[in-house]
Amino acid sequence: MKLFVSEGNPHCLKVLAALEVTGVHCDVQYVNHDERVVPFLSRPAVPALLLPSGLHLFSPNAICRYLFEVSGQDSSELCSRWLEWEATDLQPALLQSLHLAVLQGKGSEVSKVLQGPLNYMEQSLSKGNTPYLTGEAVSVADVVLWAALYPVLSDSSLALGGCTSVKAWFDRGAVVHICAAQKVLQGKGLQGMKSFMQRQPAPQSSQCRDAQPFNSNPAEGEESERVVSVEEMEAAALTWSKGLNACPLAADRQHPILPQEGKRNLLVVSALPYVNNVPHLGNIIGCVLSADAFCRYGRLRGWNLLFVCGTDEYGTATENKAREEGLTPQQICDKYHAIHSNIYKWFQIDFDFFGRTTTEKQTEIAQNIFWRLHKHGFLLEDTVEQLRCESCKRFLADRFVEGICPHCSYPEARGDQCDKCGRLINAVELREPQCKVCRQTPVVSSSKHLFLDLPKLEPQLEQWLDKSTSTGDWTANAKQITRSWLRDGLKPRCITRDLRWGTPVPHPDFKEKVFYVWFDAPIGYLSITANYTDQWEKWWKNPNQVELYNFMAKDNVPFHSVVFPCSLLGAQDNYTLVSHLIATEYLNYEDTKFSKSRGVGVFGDMAKDTGIPPDVWRFYLLYVRPEGQDSAFSWADMALKNNSELLNNLGNFINRAGMFVTKFFEGSVPVMELQQEEKTLLALVGWELQQYIQLMDKVKIRDALRHILNISRHGNQYIQVNEPWKKIKGGDTERQRAGTVTGVSVNIACLLSVMLLPYMPAVSQTIRDQLNAPQSCINTMLQGTGTFVCCLSAGHRIGTVSPLFQKLEVDQIEALKKRFGGQQPEDEPPKKKTTAQSAGSTQPAAVPAAAAEVASVNGVDPEKAKQLTQAVTEQGEKVRALKAQKAEKAVITAEVAKLLELKKQLAVAEGKSSEPAPQKGKKK
């Protein structure tokens, strides 16, 4: 193994300290900060660990964990939680602290920035009463946090006083981190990091989140008791006493939903899922599920809201898919539109309308916008040199051509970009280009196209963006990505393509062309709404009365923040533009990426076959929603959250509260006499409710969920302290006390049912059914800043109470993890490695059995060549997707190796040389 580190890089402290503790043998090589030691990564990544298999690890915490595992020390669940807290909560605060101290000379402000994280550590260490974070022995969590905190805790000038438990813990690791620090900082202290810090983007104070680790379990997750004032207690008790009087019932939705005077009118759209594939969990949480949770919440708030979505059906990918499956493009669209629709219904996505883009309305509206852009002078004509396949008698779109990259000689470069070096390519620059349909060599030919004049629209766009981003709720990544596009100035962008499947261009000089999907697809929001109601313009041409929310993953941001707004601004037809752009980061699957062809990850059509209810899927996906950074789906974590948060925390509290009413009070809510303890509890619960509303209003869906779970924790503690099952057996005073505790608890359960509705609609309804809760409780609790009233008054009869959740067993989870992990079936013999494969590489699961056999066949075999051509196409798409998502190098390297192996097999089957084209050596 070889470890690459750089002087002055604080992240390298971690890995060198881990080497010191574990004693693992590893060559250490010092490199410059900007040196790219990990192939295929577009950015420098140090530290990096080169494994014997040829793969790389380039996350400091992952490297440390690996070194501990190699030395025989596995990480516990508590250890994993500390590592997650370090990465998501401590690091942002540390980066801001180092920026202040090293670059701005403001060391006096560091203590304020680090106060929250250090206080949390102090509380945890003092409560745990153990010398180290996870017990009696040093763990990888100790080493990582020692090294992370060394630059600030070892500098006396920063005056980080107090936190005696943290200081004692830090001193225990002195030998380890001092040795590592000498190698990295060269005895220069904080100033030893100046060169590294100057290369880092300036952190914002908003990066410093609460010090509380979100994924902690109840034991570690309890916050320090919030001090409640007498005024808060009395106010909470007064609100509670108002009950449900004069609260209007929420009216059922009447379609079509249209904007209303005097109401907050929200038009919510989620990025249109592309029709040619089955959505995986990352697609679902990134767009439709996040939007659905927010829409359900908005309806609870009494907002007038329309939620539309649909499948994006035009473009090259649909033609590709149709060719692969032997269907027409329309048949492919019909097939996959039904698949998408059924998946979203199972996940309980409550669209007001779910449509599609292959409609007459799409053609009508897209062509209208086109003509308006043409009329106002925002379109340009230009001639483009393109590749044309004379055999197929068509110009080749980027996905239909591949060849050797002119920059790095990578043999699998496609017509618009090289996946190896990342450089943009004009298809005519490819060496030895091939048509992917017939494998013939295309010729260069001229084709006239239309371009949207983005530079001419840029001043209008800038003016609108300044207003929208300052007044609306745009996620940080949406703002950052948008500004990066504008930084170097916009360029004209082609809006036409030489394709057959798409919205036809109405201009007589371009009648053989269709609109480019990036121009056409966002117009689908308008056409889908128009297919929902012929009064669609009341939503889409009403910017003063309508707020537009867009939900998407971050890769879709530029099209929604720059390109589509420019199309609408240029049309000059009073269109409604996006007010709030909500973009998630990426959701990964375990330690890799989702891959349908490799059988890795859970896709929408598979979730229902797991036996896990839709609401549990919704809960966990929203729990790990990648709001501020990439996150990962994990079977083990899903089981943990189900068993700890749903079963033992939330479900336990609600079931106990209901059972006490049934068992001790014959199914009727008892009389409640509030004492100071109840008033304190009401104030605490009311505060959590207020936080929940503030976060949901800002579309912080993941963070808001934490406050639901905090309320049930308060409730469990309240029951546990008061022990109503014992008091019910005592005298009148104690029986009255048991009644109060039971009545208050069952009312908290009712509140939880309302707060849960955006996340778990079926469970929410079940709770209200069991409690026989009045319908008016739904639209009472979330009014204003939060209204926790007594919904179930004394004498109210509840229904039949039963458990809400089931435990996910270890063997069940292990079976599911294996099933969706891409392993081969147990009864299938392992495929032999070919000599061309690198060590540690196996035959790709995506290759059909017949194709795998081709590796040993010499000579031309047209049938097998056909099968391998399809396998190469699928594997190429997979590699491109990983590149676009900036997947880790280890994942990409493995997939590229499989792709190259398939290409060799295809060359053999076609009777060509299997030797790859010569490539330039990569500088080290």
Side-chain angles (χ1 to χ4, degrees):
M1 291 190 297
K2 180 178 285 188
L3 180 65
F4 297 92
V5 297
S6 59
E7 291 182 4
N9 183 338
H11 301 300
C12 294
L13 281 169
K14 298 179 181 179
V15 297
L16 290 174
L19 268 186
E20 188 79 23
V21 171
T22 60
V24 173
H25 176 70
C26 183
D27 293 332
V28 178
Q29 180 175 332
Y30 286 81
V31 297
N32 295 327
H33 298 309
D34 297 329
E35 190 163 342
R36 297 183 181 179
V37 296
V38 182
F40 303 108
L41 271 189
S42 60
R43 57 180 174 81
V46 180
L49 180 65
L50 175 61
L51 303 180
S53 65
L55 303 180
H56 288 79
L57 295 176
F58 46 88
S59 159
N61 289 9
I63 293 172
C64 293
R65 188 194 291 263
Y66 178 84
L67 293 173
F68 268 75
E69 290 176 354
V70 167
S71 67
Q73 304 176 59
D74 291 333
S75 302
S76 65
E77 180 62 35
L78 179 56
C79 186
S80 297
R81 286 197 293 272
W82 274 114
L83 291 178
E84 180 181 352
W85 177 80
E86 189 274 341
T88 59
D89 293 83
L90 179 60
Q91 274 300 323
L94 277 173
L95 286 175
Q96 188 185 3
S97 299
L98 292 175
H99 196 271
L100 287 168
V102 177
L103 300 183
Q104 299 182 30
K106 298 180 179 179
S108 60
E109 296 182 20
V110 168
S111 59
K112 182 172 64 175
V113 175
L114 286 177
Q115 182 178 1
L118 290 177
N119 284 347
Y120 175 74
M121 288 189 67
E122 178 72 16
Q123 184 182 20
S124 299
L125 285 165
S126 57
K127 276 187 178 180
N129 199 27
T130 56
Y132 301 105
L133 292 174
T134 61
E136 300 296 327
V138 172
S139 69
V140 63
D142 293 290
V143 172
V144 166
L145 269 77
W146 276 337
L149 288 165
Y150 177 83
V152 292
L153 291 186
S154 62
D155 194 305
S156 58
S157 67
L158 299 183
L160 296 173
C163 298
T164 54
S165 296
V166 172
K167 187 177 186 306
W169 161 83
F170 182 73
D171 290 343
R172 293 186 192 104
V175 175
V176 175
H177 47 63
I178 288 175
C179 180
Q182 184 61 36
K183 296 175 182 177
V184 175
L185 304 181
Q186 299 293 304
K188 300 175 184 177
L190 289 173
Q191 289 307 306
M193 293 183 289
K194 188 169 184 178
S195 174
F196 174 82
M197 292 302 300
Q198 286 173 335
R199 289 170 167 80
Q200 308 308 305
Q204 299 176 359
S205 58
S206 60
Q207 283 181 290
C208 300
R209 297 161 35 176
D210 294 339
Q212 170 71 29
F214 184 79
N215 285 345
S216 59
N217 67 22
E220 284 80 26
E222 291 172 6
E223 299 178 352
S224 56
E225 189 69 20
R226 185 173 175 274
V227 178
V228 177
S229 68
V230 174
E231 290 77 12
E232 286 178 293
M233 287 190 284
E234 293 305 323
L238 180 61
T239 300
W240 161 273
S241 67
K242 292 179 181 177
L244 295 173
N245 294 334
C247 292
L249 290 175
D252 292 335
R253 274 179 279 172
Q254 300 292 321
H255 295 285
I257 300 169
L258 298 172
Q260 298 177 23
E261 288 288 343
K263 279 210 165 191
R264 188 181 181 197
N265 298 294
L266 272 59
L267 175 57
V268 180
V269 297
S270 56
L272 306 182
Y274 205 74
V275 77
N276 75 317
N277 56 30
V278 178
H280 57 63
L281 299 180
N283 302 139
I284 291 168
I285 184 59
C287 300
V288 295
L289 179 54
S290 294
D292 179 69
F294 179 72
C295 287
R296 289 177 179 273
Y297 168 78
R299 294 181 189 120
L300 290 176
R301 293 279 276 158
W303 301 335
N304 184 47
L305 184 150
L306 178 67
F307 179 23
V308 297
C309 187
T311 43
D312 174 10
E313 302 189 352
Y314 284 131
T316 317
T318 301
E319 285 195 20
N320 265 338
K321 193 71 171 178
R323 181 172 55 84
E324 290 171 10
E325 297 195 16
L327 299 172
T328 66
Q330 187 62 61
Q331 288 171 329
I332 280 289
C333 292
D334 293 343
K335 171 185 173 180
Y336 281 92
H337 175 81
I339 290 172
H340 277 263
S341 182
N342 289 333
I343 289 170
Y344 302 140
K345 285 178 183 175
W346 189 82
F347 276 95
Q348 302 171 82
I349 309 300
D350 192 14
F351 300 116
D352 290 304
F353 187 72
F354 185 73
R356 54 199 307 185
T357 57
T358 50
T359 65
E360 292 181 6
K361 288 291 186 184
Q362 176 74 11
T363 302
E364 175 189 326
I365 296 172
Q367 290 183 349
N368 175 264
I369 291 174
F370 165 81
W371 280 123
R372 294 186 70 89
L373 288 167
H374 187 274
K375 172 186 173 184
H376 296 299
F378 293 118
L379 297 181
L380 304 171
E381 291 186 15
D382 200 1
T383 300
V384 178
E385 296 291 302
Q386 288 182 259
L387 292 177
R388 178 180 172 84
C389 179
E390 297 299 337
S391 175
C392 297
K393 299 189 185 319
R394 65 188 298 176
F395 284 98
L396 298 179
D398 51 28
R399 294 187 184 224
F400 281 101
V401 62
E402 67 180 19
I404 299 172
C405 175
H407 306 293
C408 71
S409 297
Y410 177 58
E412 309 292 336
R414 70 176 190 264
D416 62 347
Q417 187 174 17
C418 174
D419 287 326
K420 182 176 182 182
C421 68
R423 299 277 290 275
L424 295 178
I425 299 171
N426 187 331
V428 297
E429 297 173 339
L430 288 172
R431 301 202 306 269
E432 300 181 22
Q434 279 190 337
C435 170
K436 291 177 66 176
V437 177
C438 68
R439 291 293 165 186
Q440 297 301 307
T441 301
V443 297
V444 177
S445 184
S446 297
S447 180
K448 192 166 65 171
H449 284 277
L450 287 163
F451 290 73
L452 181 62
D453 194 349
L454 292 178
K456 193 173 181 180
L457 287 159
E458 191 166 352
Q460 292 183 58
L461 178 71
E462 286 271 18
Q463 185 178 4
W464 165 73
L465 274 172
D466 287 342
K467 180 181 178 182
S468 183
T469 56
S470 61
T471 59
D473 290 318
W474 286 52
T475 51
N477 57 357
K479 293 179 182 179
Q480 179 183 0
I481 292 168
T482 301
R483 288 299 169 193
S484 70
W485 266 57
L486 294 170
R487 192 174 299 125
D488 300 324
L490 299 178
K491 308 292 188 295
R493 194 170 180 94
C494 187
I495 67 168
T496 54
R497 294 197 92 179
D498 289 296
L499 279 177
R500 297 164 188 167
W501 185 245
T503 300
V505 178
H507 195 292
D509 295 345
F510 299 87
K511 60 184 179 181
E512 299 299 322
K513 302 183 191 296
V514 299
F515 288 128
Y516 213 144
V517 70
W518 69 258
F519 172 80
D520 187 58
I523 296 172
Y525 298 130
L526 283 64
S527 71
I528 289 169
T529 310
N531 279 298
Y532 165 70
T533 173
D534 57 6
Q535 301 178 70
W536 65 275
E537 292 184 349
K538 291 185 176 180
W539 285 107
W540 283 104
K541 295 184 181 181
N542 191 1
N544 294 327
Q545 199 176 21
V546 173
E547 296 177 59
L548 174 59
Y549 278 79
N550 279 176
F551 284 80
M552 68 201 68
K554 63 181 177 183
D555 55 340
N556 256 324
V557 167
F559 304 104
H560 291 79
S561 66
V562 176
V563 180
F564 184 44
C566 278
S567 298
L568 298 183
L569 285 167
Q572 296 181 11
D573 204 14
N574 196 39
Y575 276 109
T576 302
L577 301 180
V578 61
S579 311
H580 314 275
L581 204 158
I582 314 300
T584 61
E585 301 291 321
Y586 294 132
L587 179 75
N588 297 318
Y589 179 80
E590 298 284 356
D591 56 354
T592 185
K593 303 290 181 181
F594 291 88
S595 172
K596 185 79 170 180
S597 58
R598 289 187 295 125
V600 175
V602 181
F603 286 71
D605 54 348
M606 303 170 178
K608 63 183 178 183
D609 298 327
T610 61
I612 298 173
D615 268 20
V616 175
W617 282 106
R618 288 176 60 105
F619 168 83
Y620 183 67
L621 289 174
L622 291 164
Y623 193 108
V624 297
R625 181 175 184 261
E627 283 186 3
Q629 62 182 29
D630 291 357
S631 62
F633 172 91
S634 160
W635 283 108
D637 188 54
M638 183 182 190
L640 177 69
K641 298 305 183 291
N642 178 83
N643 297 343
S644 62
E645 293 291 14
L646 291 183
L647 188 64
N648 294 339
N649 177 18
L650 186 69
N652 180 55
F653 169 69
I654 293 171
N655 185 253
R656 290 170 89 189
M659 288 302 297
F660 292 156
V661 176
T662 300
K663 185 175 180 180
F664 301 145
F665 301 97
E666 299 178 340
S668 292
V669 175
V671 173
M672 294 158 275
E673 295 181 0
L674 302 186
Q675 298 181 7
Q676 183 167 343
E677 184 177 1
E678 278 71 47
K679 292 179 181 180
T680 301
L681 177 62
L682 295 182
L684 288 171
V685 170
W687 183 84
E688 300 284 1
L689 174 59
Q690 290 170 14
Q691 300 307 303
Y692 166 89
I693 288 174
Q694 289 176 21
L695 289 166
M696 287 297 281
D697 279 357
K698 294 292 185 181
V699 206
K700 300 291 185 182
I701 302 171
R702 168 177 168 161
D703 290 345
L705 179 54
R706 171 178 161 188
H707 294 281
I708 298 177
L709 301 173
N710 283 348
I711 289 175
S712 58
R713 272 194 274 277
H714 284 308
N716 273 316
Q717 184 178 11
Y718 174 62
I719 287 176
Q720 207 60 32
V721 167
N722 283 282
E723 300 179 321
W725 61 92
K726 291 183 179 178
K727 288 185 169 59
I728 195 68
K729 300 174 183 177
D732 290 345
T733 302
E734 287 193 317
R735 288 179 62 83
Q736 174 58 51
R737 187 77 192 127
T740 297
V741 172
T742 299
V744 169
S745 297
V746 81
N747 270 281
I748 293 175
C750 187
L751 169 66
L752 288 170
S753 76
V754 177
M755 296 174 73
L756 271 175
L757 195 152
Y759 299 86
M760 308 179 79
V763 168
S764 169
Q765 184 63 56
T766 298
I767 297 169
R768 283 179 280 117
D769 288 344
Q770 291 187 8
L771 300 180
N772 195 24
Q775 185 67 20
S776 55
C777 74
I778 294 177
N779 60 313
T780 299
M781 303 288 199
L782 302 188
Q783 296 307 304
T785 59
T787 309
F788 180 29
V789 301
C790 179
C791 286
L792 311 179
S793 55
H796 172 86
R797 294 201 61 81
I798 69 170
T800 303
V801 177
S802 59
L804 297 169
F805 306 107
Q806 290 186 335
K807 184 179 181 181
L808 292 177
E809 301 292 348
V810 174
D811 55 350
Q812 177 188 5
I813 290 300
E814 286 302 315
L816 289 169
K817 185 175 182 180
K818 183 175 182 181
R819 174 181 166 189
F820 295 105
Q823 299 96 334
Q824 298 179 37
E826 292 181 4
D827 57 352
E828 181 181 335
K831 292 180 173 65
K832 295 180 180 178
K833 296 178 185 177
T834 63
T835 56
Q837 286 175 293
S838 61
S841 174
T842 59
Q843 181 69 38
V847 183
E853 294 169 6
V854 178
S856 62
V857 176
N858 293 316
V860 179
D861 190 331
E863 182 59 33
K864 289 175 180 175
K866 181 180 178 182
Q867 295 172 339
L868 278 165
T869 297
Q870 181 176 345
V872 167
T873 299
E874 293 177 355
Q875 188 68 11
E877 294 293 338
K878 189 186 315 171
V879 171
R880 281 190 284 277
L882 289 171
K883 285 288 184 181
Q885 296 168 2
K886 295 182 174 59
E888 289 193 359
K889 182 264 172 184
V891 177
I892 296 172
T893 300
E895 295 307 321
V896 170
K898 294 173 186 177
L899 178 59
L900 294 176
E901 178 59 28
L902 283 170
K903 291 288 287 183
K904 291 178 184 177
Q905 295 177 23
L906 176 60
V908 171
E910 292 177 336
K912 301 177 184 177
S913 170
S914 63
E915 291 302 312
Q919 299 185 27
K920 297 178 183 177
K922 187 172 179 71
K923 291 182 180 180
K924 296 290 183 185

